[in-house]
Amino acid sequence: MNATDPAAQALSAAPPVSTDTERTLLVKVFGKDRPGITAGLFTQLAGFGVEVIDIEQVVTRGRITLCALVTPPPAPGAEGALRVTVHRWAEEHRLQAEIISGTGDNRPRREGRSHVTVLGHPLTASAVAALSARVSEAGGNIDRVFRLAKYPVTAVELTISGVPTEELRAVLAAEAAVQRVDIAVVRSGLHRRAKRLVVMDVDSTLIQDEVIELFAAHAGCEAEVAEVTAQAMRGELDFAESLRARVALLAGLDATVTEKVRSEVRLTPGARTLIRTLKRLGYQVAIVSGGFTQVTEHLVERLGLDFAAANTLEVVDGKFTGRVTGEIVDRAGKARWLARFAEQAGVPLEQTVAIGDGANDLDMLNAAGLGVAFNAKPVVREQADTAVNVPFLDTVLYLLGVTREEVEAADEVDGAPTGD
């Protein structure tokens, strides 16, 4: 529109449509959904010259609820005719209509705004009731609710205002544990969608196995290694010390067993979907492991990952020596690698996501912009930003605000398999 256009000048000079004291009409229609309802309602309203202030529309199980907040018609005495016209149109289309007169726009959103993602398998009414009650008791208000996914878990996102994010997280995390649902609470803002690097632990996170135990099974010492691993993951043993003790048990094992171990590795359900979707969104994806490069290098090639760091089993004359070489990737090492990957990717730490399950992941989870404890040990769940306790790695996407429908739509376009 040209700057000298009278219509453009009038629009730029017009005062705001609504203030707290100006009259407004809330027009609500609901009933069986079908194509053309939204266009039909606004066609009726257009005949009265009203201005649109706000629109909300929700379709649930084939039933539509459409709300329009508009100014009263400018012509004197036209409001009655508008009401008659909307009700008549609604009846003709087997819809119900309600028109409520009031003043002003929606109440301004209060300070302390957060996005809350709730994951349930199943998500029960009692869980929703309890979480909603905690929000109210904390002084918060649920401004909006939106479903992100219906499988493999039910995931809903709530927009909440009126209570500081940290306070809300503490309150809801305690209730979520009681209700046996997973919950993530993050501060609203552009930063939420700006996370551009995801760094994952490998053992029992990206994959279902503990790689050291797969090697140990071929060396005949699986039980001994598994017990030391469990103690380390619970934080009962220093990781570096436990790593050396476990690796020592592999001394003399033929290194050709590496190919067998690679074939035995089982990806966590949803791992491919998570990585594929993140890459489509422009994320860079890395793995950092207390396991071994003999396996992580294969995963990088198999999954198209951007960065990787892990320990390396020393090999001499075709056999494992029972030692590791180079810098040990332990608890502190994982956090260091997170920072290195972020620097290489050109991403600040506050725009990173870290995912892990063990005590040796805690420094990394705490250093990242968002730390996700995935089917983690209790000590990790208690200290991470959020916890996911369902066996599907792609549920992490819901914490980033990605819906299941968006994932599947992208898969259909690319011809990729879903649900892997």
Side-chain angles (χ1 to χ4, degrees), residues 229-302:
T229 298
Q231 292 176 340
M233 292 301 99
R234 292 193 299 264
E236 298 171 4
L237 291 176
D238 172 76
F239 180 82
E241 181 181 353
S242 71
L243 175 68
R244 294 189 182 94
R246 287 175 290 169
V247 170
L249 296 171
L250 303 181
L253 180 65
D254 197 307
T256 59
V257 77
T258 296
E259 289 301 321
K260 293 182 180 178
V261 169
R262 288 176 174 177
S263 68
E264 293 166 352
V265 166
R266 301 166 299 163
L267 292 175
T268 298
R272 287 186 183 275
T273 300
L274 172 65
I275 294 169
R276 183 171 64 242
T277 304
L278 289 172
K279 299 293 283 184
R280 286 172 179 157
L281 292 171
Y283 282 67
Q284 297 186 67
V285 184
I287 53 175
V288 59
S289 176
F292 310 109
T293 58
Q294 280 84 353
V295 170
T296 58
E297 289 175 354
H298 178 65
L299 289 171
V300 168
E301 181 179 352
R302 179 179 176 186

Side-chain angles (χ1 to χ4, degrees), residues 313-374:
L313 293 170
E314 184 181 61
V315 178
V316 174
D317 296 329
K319 295 185 183 296
F320 293 126
T321 65
R323 297 185 295 271
V324 293
T325 62
E327 177 186 351
I328 289 182
V329 180
D330 55 7
R331 174 170 171 166
K334 287 189 173 185
R336 287 195 297 271
W337 277 108
L338 169 70
R340 291 170 186 169
F341 293 151
E343 183 177 2
Q344 293 175 49
V347 174
L349 277 176
E350 58 266 24
Q351 291 181 12
T352 64
V353 179
I355 310 169
D357 74 298
N360 66 324
D361 296 314
L362 274 172
D363 287 5
M364 175 178 72
L365 297 182
N366 291 331
L370 176 66
V372 180
F374 181 74

Side-chain angles (χ1 to χ4, degrees), residues 28-29 56 82 166 198 202 246 263 279 306 416:
K28 177 180 178 182
V29 296
E56 290 277 356
L82 180 149
E166 293 300 325
V198 174
V202 175
R246 287 175 290 169
S263 68
K279 299 293 283 184
D306 297 289

Side-chain angles (χ1 to χ4, degrees), residues 107-128:
R107 289 180 301 173
R109 302 287 190 235
R110 293 182 292 171
E111 294 298 319
R113 301 174 192 172
S114 305
H115 286 281
V116 176
T117 306
V118 182
L119 309 178
H121 189 58
L123 180 61
T124 64
S126 59
V128 175

